Amino acid sequence: MTPESTPSAPAAAKGDPPLSAGQRLRATALRWDTAVGVLFVAVFAVGLGTTDGFSASGNLAFAFNDIIEVGLIALPMTLLVVAGQVDLSVASMLGLGSALTGNLWNAGWAFEAIVPVVLLVGVAGGLLNGWLVTRVGLPSLAVTIGTLALYRGLASVVLGSDAVTDFPSAYAKLAVDTTTVPGTFLTYPVALFVVLAVVTAVVLHSTRVGRSLFAIGAQEDAAWFAGIRVKRIKLLLFVATGLVSSFAGIVFTLRYGSARADNGLGFEMLVIASVLLGGVDFDGGRGTLFGAVAGVLLIGVLKNLLTLNDVANEVQVIVTGALLVASVLTPRLVAALEERRHRRAASTGVEDRRPEGAATTS
């Protein structure tokens, strides 16, 4: 297997007749990420028809801005999970970036000098995670549980229990939901997310790097024997995740006008839930960026609807947790049923003509 030949989604076996346009359309319609996109549209439509104030332009701008940090972090997290890894320290890195922003601003630094320092700290945090995983050989889940506590602790050391406010209005106004990019209806954070999502989608689905990620996630040893630089790629993925997480800390700080050590607390669950809900396989090797983005949007709209209907925050956490469990369990149940159906068809001698790739998580 070579990076160029590694598929991002199941393909017909060699020698099988090519799928017709109708079969391809049916297979796409039955994919998990497509179902999540349809569910997002359905929930959005229900909100328009049942909840007062949901359709207001101010509320929609707030709803999408409110999930923007989760969306930004979900982009590199998708690449990481496709490669069979995970980073649970992202919310703590967001908090560390916010705390460092507040500390340096309090110390009289120019905001233009603060940003690169915070981003460098994010790169350093990602390097630590990646080094422990790729060079020391520790599992990413265990490593990032440890650095989750480490980075949050560093945030508390940097800023303590204080909150820093009064950031420069020239930057702060770019992060709020009342300022849009000239000529568009998009706020600056949402416009940035759209651009980064397009770039990430191209990298994942249309480049050699993306094909390498799917190969690593599907079978790491085979990818290594195929000449893919597995350790280097995984290291760079952790660096990218740390970098984006620290940048999300800056965006969060400006959007709320407050730097605190506990900013973004619990966001790692929202990020992971969004990615897995979008059909990215936690074991690696399968998934689409479209699905991950659809998962982010679905969680954002659900969160907004629950808030508008005065649902307690504790219930919102329960809903998010239930979605996370469902996003992991449901595709595996579908795969088990598919395998059982194939075995039954084989045992009865009936050829299964269903197009391969239908009802998968990719």
Side-chain angles (χ1 to χ4, degrees):
M1 180 185 294
T2 64
E4 291 78 10
S5 64
T6 304
S8 61
K14 188 175 181 179
D16 285 352
L19 299 178
S20 66
Q23 288 175 321
R24 288 196 300 270
L25 181 62
R26 180 168 175 256
T28 300
L30 292 174
R31 279 175 16 183
W32 180 265
D33 55 351
T34 304
V36 175
V38 171
L39 183 58
F40 161 69
V41 174
V43 171
F44 192 88
V46 169
L48 290 176
T50 63
T51 304
D52 292 336
F54 177 75
S55 60
S57 59
N59 177 67
L60 293 178
F62 172 80
F64 292 119
N65 248 32
D66 194 42
I67 202 72
I68 199 65
E69 293 85 10
V70 171
L72 289 172
I73 300 172
L75 298 178
M77 183 70 80
T78 300
L79 305 184
L80 200 59
V81 176
V82 164
Q85 305 298 312
V86 69
D87 186 350
L88 297 180
S89 68
V90 289
S92 296
M93 179 55 71
L94 183 156
L96 179 56
S98 178
L100 187 58
T101 299
N103 179 278
L104 296 179
W105 178 250
N106 226 16
W109 284 46
F111 202 80
E112 294 80 2
I114 293 174
V115 173
V117 171
V118 172
L119 296 182
L120 284 175
V121 169
V123 169
L127 276 172
L128 176 60
N129 287 337
W131 180 78
L132 290 172
V133 171
T134 61
R135 303 303 173 182
V136 181
L138 300 176
S140 60
L141 185 64
V143 166
T144 56
I145 286 176
T147 53
L148 177 154
L150 172 63
Y151 299 154
R152 187 64 71 178
L154 288 174
S156 297
V157 170
V158 168
L159 198 59
S161 59
D162 298 332
V164 178
T165 57
D166 297 325
F167 292 97
S169 58
Y171 292 100
K173 71 178 182 180
L174 298 179
V176 298
D177 52 27
T178 55
T179 305
T180 59
V181 178
T184 75
F185 61 90
L186 301 176
T187 64
Y188 281 90
V190 171
L192 176 63
F193 170 74
V194 170
V195 172
L196 291 180
V198 171
V199 172
T200 307
V202 170
V203 170
L204 182 60
H205 298 296
S206 302
T207 68
R208 179 175 179 175
V209 172
R211 292 188 287 272
S212 297
L213 297 182
F214 283 107
I216 293 169
Q219 194 169 2
E220 186 173 315
D221 290 340
W224 185 82
F225 281 113
I228 298 174
R229 308 192 74 165
V230 174
K231 290 184 177 180
R232 174 175 293 184
I233 289 175
K234 290 199 294 187
L235 179 65
L236 291 175
L237 289 177
F238 280 105
V239 169
T241 306
L243 173 65
V244 174
S245 298
S246 63
F247 177 72
I250 297 174
V251 174
F252 190 97
T253 301
L254 293 176
R255 194 161 64 85
Y256 284 98
S258 176
R260 293 178 55 90
D262 60 354
N263 277 352
L265 193 64
F267 270 26
E268 64 276 348
M269 187 174 77
L270 288 174
V271 173
I272 295 296
S274 300
V275 172
L276 299 186
L277 181 62
V280 181
D281 195 331
F282 193 69
D283 294 327
R286 289 183 182 274
T288 66
L289 192 77
F290 168 79
V293 171
V296 170
L297 295 176
L298 177 58
I299 287 181
V301 169
L302 278 174
K303 182 180 177 184
N304 183 254
L305 281 174
L306 293 174
T307 301
L308 289 176
N309 286 282
D310 297 322
V311 176
N313 186 62
E314 293 79 2
V315 177
Q316 295 186 32
V317 173
I318 292 172
V319 170
T320 302
L323 286 173
L324 180 55
V325 172
S327 65
V328 175
L329 182 61
T330 305
R332 280 160 174 73
L333 290 176
V334 171
L337 290 173
E338 282 292 287
E339 184 179 357
R340 182 179 178 182
R341 187 177 63 82
H342 283 299
R343 287 178 178 176
R344 182 178 298 174
S347 65
T348 57
V350 177
E351 184 180 6
D352 184 8
R353 302 302 298 173
R354 186 174 183 175
E356 189 174 352
T360 68
T361 63
S362 60

